[in-house]
Amino acid sequence: ILDVQLAHNAFVAGPTFSWADITLVTSLEGTAIAGFGIPRDCAHVHRWFETTSRRASVLATRGDRAPGR
């Protein structure tokens, strides 16, 4: 469902960055640290995650907790 939503929208809840994106990006970062990734067949989720996780506002919250550190 999320992959279909992101196929038609830049962000989770529509055309603008929102709390939905903040909540999801932090959750997905946590699951990545735990060893669980985004399913390979979710291309739009991957695109969204790569784009969203490079936002200055997201980078500012990470400190040393970024996935892969």
Side-chain angles (χ1 to χ4, degrees), residues 6-65:
L6 290 170
H8 303 286
N9 295 282
F11 300 102
V12 174
T16 57
F17 188 71
S18 72
W19 282 106
D21 300 286
I22 295 165
T23 302
L24 185 58
V25 77
T26 57
S27 296
L28 290 176
E29 285 178 342
T31 59
I33 291 168
F36 299 97
I38 299 167
R40 293 175 197 244
D41 62 342
C42 295
H44 302 291
V45 177
H46 279 280
R47 175 207 38 87
W48 168 87
F49 183 76
E50 291 300 317
T51 301
T52 302
S53 58
R54 286 193 302 259
R55 291 176 64 93
S57 58
V58 174
L59 293 172
T61 67
R62 285 187 179 156
D64 290 331
R65 297 171 294 149

